[in-house]
Amino acid sequence: MGALMVIFSLQTKQRRKRTDSVEDELELSAVRHRPEALEQLEAQTRFSRKELQILYRGFKNECPSGVVNEDTFKEIYAQFFPQGDASTYAHFLFNAFDTDHNDSVSFEDFVMGLSILLRGTVQEKLNWAFNLYDINKDGYITKEEMFDIIKSIYDMMGKCTYPMLKEETPRQHVEIFFQKMDKNRDGVVTIDEFIDCCQNDENIMRSMQLFENVI
């Protein structure tokens, strides 16, 4: 379970320690807050209404304003990866969730992305991953963009990586991945190249799971 899901699970457990009447009141307030949005999100995601209610309570607890800014997003990740520096990866991940590029992540943005990452098809997950790696959102992944993402993941994991990684390891991994993906050798990876390579290379698919595990 990734960092964001852990946060919401902890918030839910804390609330269950209170009386049933308070729990019921909280749940009803979550439903009343935006019933139309919940119904719409239930249709657009792979979460049930009950799951959306639980996620919404956790989201509101962490973000009372109803949206997450980048600083708050970074603070959340820093709590769960104290052994490393999560700020750069959190920045990239925030931008991937911020689909309308308004410098904030709403509950709708969050659950739409989470639904893909947790319950989406392989194709949907790879599309989402491509968007993450495509930092400047120009439709291509450059070698430097891939390096920036992979390096940020290693920085975040910090001392959790075993065996301890040499400083040049992320660059070496990028060289291997990029050579496999950039089939026409034009210096960029398109979404078709990315998906085709990932689906046909077990090693890359296993490496991609590292990214899913730190969501």
Side-chain angles (χ1 to χ4, degrees):
M1 182 180 293
L4 294 179
M5 289 305 294
V6 169
I7 289 169
F8 294 137
S9 294
L10 288 174
Q11 297 299 342
T12 302
K13 288 177 182 176
Q14 289 170 358
R15 289 170 184 272
R16 283 174 182 165
K17 293 179 180 179
R18 302 177 184 180
T19 64
D20 291 340
S21 60
V22 173
E23 175 67 21
D24 291 341
E25 182 181 343
L26 285 168
E27 184 165 333
L28 286 171
S29 66
V31 176
R32 285 196 299 265
H33 184 78
R34 48 175 63 197
E36 292 181 3
L38 282 177
E39 290 174 2
Q40 185 177 4
L41 285 173
E42 188 178 4
Q44 293 176 336
T45 68
R46 292 179 171 88
F47 293 123
S48 68
R49 188 179 184 85
K50 178 70 173 179
E51 289 171 327
L52 288 168
Q53 291 169 8
I54 293 171
L55 285 170
Y56 184 68
R57 285 204 300 271
F59 190 91
K60 285 288 285 184
N61 190 79
E62 286 293 322
C63 315
S65 66
V67 295
V68 184
N69 61 33
E70 186 171 335
D71 288 340
T72 302
F73 204 82
K74 288 180 178 179
E75 289 171 6
I76 291 172
Y77 260 77
Q79 294 174 37
F80 285 85
F81 296 95
Q83 73 286 343
D85 180 1
S87 60
T88 303
Y89 182 73
H91 165 72
F92 294 138
L93 192 62
F94 178 86
N95 287 339
F97 274 103
D98 180 19
T99 53
D100 49 8
H101 311 299
N102 63 353
D103 298 322
S104 65
V105 173
S106 66
F107 179 66
E108 288 83 356
D109 292 333
F110 175 71
V111 294
M112 291 291 286
L114 201 64
S115 175
I116 292 172
L117 292 170
L118 295 181
R119 297 177 182 175
T121 64
V122 171
Q123 180 88 12
E124 289 171 335
K125 290 180 180 180
L126 290 176
N127 276 321
W128 203 94
F130 181 89
N131 179 60
L132 174 73
Y133 280 83
D134 178 18
I135 295 173
N136 67 359
K137 312 306 179 196
D138 65 351
Y140 301 96
I141 299 174
T142 65
K143 190 178 291 186
E144 283 308 307
E145 285 177 321
M146 186 176 290
F147 173 76
D148 288 344
I149 295 291
I150 290 178
K151 176 69 162 54
S152 72
I153 293 175
Y154 283 126
D155 288 346
M156 179 173 63
M157 299 306 291
K159 297 176 182 178
C160 284
T161 54
Y162 181 84
M164 291 296 291
L165 295 172
K166 297 179 180 179
E167 189 170 337
E168 65 269 19
T169 300
R171 178 68 69 180
Q172 291 171 345
H173 286 177
V174 169
E175 291 293 338
I176 294 169
F177 292 162
F178 204 86
Q179 187 174 14
K180 289 182 177 181
M181 290 182 178
D182 184 18
K183 293 184 178 180
N184 62 359
R185 301 294 184 263
D186 64 351
V188 294
V189 174
T190 66
I191 190 166
D192 290 336
E193 288 176 323
F194 181 82
I195 291 175
D196 182 65
C197 184
C198 288
Q199 288 181 326
N200 291 288
D201 191 305
E202 291 184 5
N203 290 328
I204 290 180
M205 285 299 286
R206 281 197 294 268
S207 298
M208 292 293 294
Q209 287 174 356
L210 171 63
F211 138 73
E212 287 186 32
N213 291 337
V214 295
I215 293 295

